[in-house]
Amino acid sequence: MSEIDSTPIRIKQYTISPELYQKGYRAGNSPCTCTSVCCQNGVYADVKERDHILAHKDIIKKYLDETQTPDENRWFEQHEQDDADFVSGRSVGTEVVNGKCALLNKQGHCSLQVAATQEGMHRWALKPVFCVLFPLEISNNVIAFDDLLDQEQQCCTVSSDFDVPIFEACKDELIHIVGEDGYADLDRQYRDRVRESVPRLPESNVA
């Protein structure tokens, strides 16, 4: 197969970076093998996401372990910052407690996702969008691959020689952003490009 058209795909208000369909995971690798290394130094959340989390603090505290603090005042940094990549235009970082994100338990699981799942909510109901997306990122309405841990962690390592393109490996995460219809449009455009990139055999003159 020849190289797939690198023209960015547009889905709703987003531009899909070509690497999401020109690179991918080899068999046996995927974001599902997450090691949670990306969470160790804390993460950034929209200030509205922080407020949403704090509004559910009593539920979340039920699922913290002894390595985490039940003091919600220590879950987030006090300093907020302007950040156009967040819906409200402002972001805030989580605090690092015992060498890891305050909301990460000793098993490397996000307590926000654990709490939501155990309480019958959608698994990402309490989780900040950028935590949900990684190793994808959104900047200036461009959805791209974040190479922070590429070639360092199996769950975040991709290659141009792949079995599953990034956008398929991160299907649930993309649906979370662009919806089922948006993902279907992305998949359709990708399939069209794959078909167009396959060399056509010359027509035979044999009757």
Side-chain angles (χ1 to χ4, degrees), residues 94-202:
T94 60
E95 288 281 11
V96 174
V97 176
N98 289 326
K100 56 186 174 61
C101 173
L103 297 166
L104 192 70
N105 68 23
K106 63 183 178 182
Q107 296 177 309
H109 298 155
C110 176
S111 292
L112 300 178
Q113 185 163 327
V114 172
T117 302
Q118 292 298 315
E119 295 292 324
M121 305 162 69
H122 186 281
R123 57 178 169 154
W124 294 332
L126 301 174
K127 201 168 184 177
V129 169
F130 277 70
C131 296
V132 170
L133 282 182
F134 197 83
L136 301 184
E137 64 177 359
I138 301 176
S139 181
N140 297 318
N141 278 348
V142 176
I143 302 177
F145 176 74
D146 188 332
D147 63 0
L148 176 66
L149 297 174
D150 189 32
Q151 308 305 317
E152 293 185 21
Q153 298 295 318
Q154 184 181 38
C155 53
C156 296
T157 296
V158 297
S159 169
S160 56
D161 179 16
F162 58 87
D163 297 295
V164 180
I166 295 173
F167 86 90
E168 284 188 4
C170 298
K171 178 179 179 178
D172 290 348
E173 290 79 2
L174 284 167
I175 288 176
H176 190 64
I177 298 300
V178 301
E180 293 275 1
D181 58 332
Y183 185 84
D185 187 15
L186 169 58
D187 185 67
R188 178 188 59 76
Q189 293 192 54
Y190 170 73
R191 302 299 165 191
D192 287 345
R193 294 186 183 204
V194 169
R195 283 192 289 270
E196 291 172 358
S197 69
V198 176
R200 296 187 179 184
L201 296 176

Side-chain angles (χ1 to χ4, degrees), residues 1 20 25 30 48 53 57 63 72 76-77 95 152-153 161 173-174 207:
M1 183 184 296
L20 265 62
Y25 290 87
S30 80
K48 289 185 177 180
I53 290 168
K57 62 181 184 295
Y63 301 95
E72 69 273 14
F76 293 93
E77 297 174 346
E95 288 281 11
E152 293 185 21
Q153 298 295 318
D161 179 16
E173 290 79 2
L174 284 167

